[in-house]
């Protein structure tokens, strides 16, 4: 299978162990900005926009979590990075899990932030396909207005998220929804992951409940959960210090501090 990768737009800060931060759906690299000042003196932060989002190419005729993982590998090659710690938020976590499966030799550590290893249930899949249909007929406003309150209870964060969602195109959102609906169950390869795995979960997350973090960590060789009770689905924006500290714990576990 030939995977046609694109050159992702990327922002970098600091130096040290490379830590790649993958954003969730339908957002962009800016979700990580609150933690940049907290980590850039300790690690080399690499913030790409995933295909279709932010400033990255809008090529979405093909779109899958596996292809998005190949885009991330191509980025590491372009930056001459042999191994990195990869942290994926929600959909970015689905991409990070595909990366761990396909390119284990390029991974130093894995963080799943408000994410999960499970595939969609039939009901969740159906709901996504309905959302895709609604976005096609009503436009981006449908999710730009409806989604932020599910992501965070904080009004200022909701406003920022709504702006990020509004900047997305309809074809990208539809492609990403279908790709998430079609994604594989990652549980079977969790026991094969040889690097440290951290699951960060928000106690108030309405989209990915905390149990998902605990169930995936049970299956890995070396891993732990950090629960942030007051956070919802966006811990890096809602509790940046705790999220940054958690990610630094992983960098240390992966590399020794
Ligand atoms: C995300 O935040 O990336 C998505 O909400 C994930 C999902 O819908 O499964």
């Amino acid at each position: 299978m030939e995977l046609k990768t694109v050159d992702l737009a990327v922002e970098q800060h600091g130096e040290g162990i490379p830590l790649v931060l993958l954003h969730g759906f339908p957002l962009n690299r800016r979700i990580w900005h609150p933690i940049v000042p907290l980590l850039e003196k300790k690690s080399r932060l690499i913030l790409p926009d995933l295909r279709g989002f932010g400033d990255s190419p809008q090529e979405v005729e093909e779109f899958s979590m596996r292809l998005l993982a190949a885009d991330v590998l191509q980025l590491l090659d372009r930056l001459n990075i042999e191994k990195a710690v990869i942290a994926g938020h929600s959909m970015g976590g689905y991409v990070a899990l595909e990366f761990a499966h396909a390119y284990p030799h390029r991974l130093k550590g894995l963080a799943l932030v408000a994410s999960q290893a499970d595939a969609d249930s039939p009901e969740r899949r159906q709901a996504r396909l309905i959302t895709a249909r609604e976005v096609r007929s009503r436009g981006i406003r449908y999710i730009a207005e409806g989604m932020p309150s599910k992501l965070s209870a904080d009004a200022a964060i909701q406003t920022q998220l709504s702006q990020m969602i509004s900047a997305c195109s309809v074809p990208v959102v539809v492609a990403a929804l279908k790709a998430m609906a079609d994604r594989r169950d990652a549980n079977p390869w969790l026991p094969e992951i040889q690097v440290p795995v951290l699951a960060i979960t928000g106690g108030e997350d309405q989209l990915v409940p905390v149990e998902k973090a605990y169930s995936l960590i049970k299956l890995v060789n070396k891993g732990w959960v950090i629960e942030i009770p007051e956070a919802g689905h966006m811990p890096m924006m809602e509790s940046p210090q705790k999220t940054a500290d958690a990610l630094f714990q992983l960098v240390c576990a992966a590399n020794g501090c």
Side-chain angles (χ1 to χ4, degrees):
M1 173 182 51
E2 200 209 334
L3 295 168
K4 280 178 71 184
T5 58
V6 294
D7 287 353
L8 299 178
V10 65
E11 183 181 319
Q12 294 190 74
H13 301 269
E15 47 194 61
I17 308 304
L19 171 60
V20 180
L21 300 167
L22 304 178
H23 63 81
F25 167 87
L27 304 168
N28 62 54
R29 67 181 192 275
R30 294 181 181 87
I31 65 166
W32 298 107
H33 280 175
I35 67 167
V36 166
L38 306 171
L39 277 178
E40 66 183 339
K41 293 200 173 61
K42 301 173 169 176
S43 195
R44 174 177 175 190
L45 304 177
I46 299 162
L47 285 62
D49 283 323
L50 294 172
R51 173 188 295 248
F53 297 96
D55 299 318
S56 276
Q58 299 284 308
E59 282 167 42
V60 293
E61 290 97 75
E62 292 190 34
F63 201 99
S64 65
M65 299 302 119
R66 176 69 186 84
L67 179 60
L68 268 57
D71 288 339
V72 174
L73 179 76
Q74 196 256 59
L75 174 66
L76 292 189
D77 287 344
R78 197 152 43 96
L79 298 176
N80 283 319
I81 293 172
E82 198 195 325
K83 285 185 182 213
V85 176
I86 299 195
H89 168 244
S90 205
M91 181 184 79
Y94 311 154
V95 176
L97 283 163
E98 286 287 341
F99 187 100
H101 187 45
Y103 314 116
H105 52 294
R106 304 296 294 269
L107 192 64
K108 253 185 169 319
L110 176 66
L112 299 163
V113 183
S115 195
Q116 60 186 323
D118 298 345
D120 275 359
S121 65
E123 298 74 31
R124 183 84 186 104
R125 186 167 199 282
Q126 196 53 32
R128 281 198 209 278
L129 301 179
I130 291 170
T131 305
R133 202 177 60 207
E134 292 298 322
V135 169
R136 247 197 240 103
S137 66
R138 300 205 224 169
I140 286 298
R141 272 183 59 187
Y142 179 72
I143 51 167
E145 286 170 6
M147 204 170 165
S149 62
K150 297 190 186 122
L151 300 175
S152 177
D154 180 305
I157 292 175
Q158 287 175 10
T159 303
Q160 291 178 48
L161 295 170
S162 178
Q163 284 163 358
M164 289 186 216
I165 299 172
S166 302
C168 294
S169 79
V170 168
V172 168
V173 167
V174 169
L177 283 165
K178 287 190 173 158
M180 285 194 286
D182 288 342
R183 77 183 187 280
R184 301 190 281 177
D185 174 9
N187 287 291
W189 68 82
L190 290 177
E192 292 162 19
I193 299 177
Q194 300 301 328
V195 296
V197 181
L198 166 65
I200 300 177
T201 179
E204 301 291 331
D205 193 335
Q206 290 187 40
L207 290 183
V208 182
V210 289
E211 297 77 50
K212 297 282 187 180
Y214 289 96
S215 61
L216 81 88
I217 287 298
K218 272 198 197 120
L219 294 177
V220 301
N221 287 305
K222 182 178 180 199
W224 67 106
V225 175
I226 294 186
E227 188 173 335
I228 304 178
E230 66 280 13
H233 193 61
M234 306 300 306
M236 73 299 284
M237 299 175 88
E238 300 169 303
S239 304
Q241 187 68 58
K242 286 186 184 174
T243 305
D245 291 348
L247 288 172
F248 191 60
Q249 251 188 39
L250 174 69
V251 169
C252 285
N255 205 59
C257 277

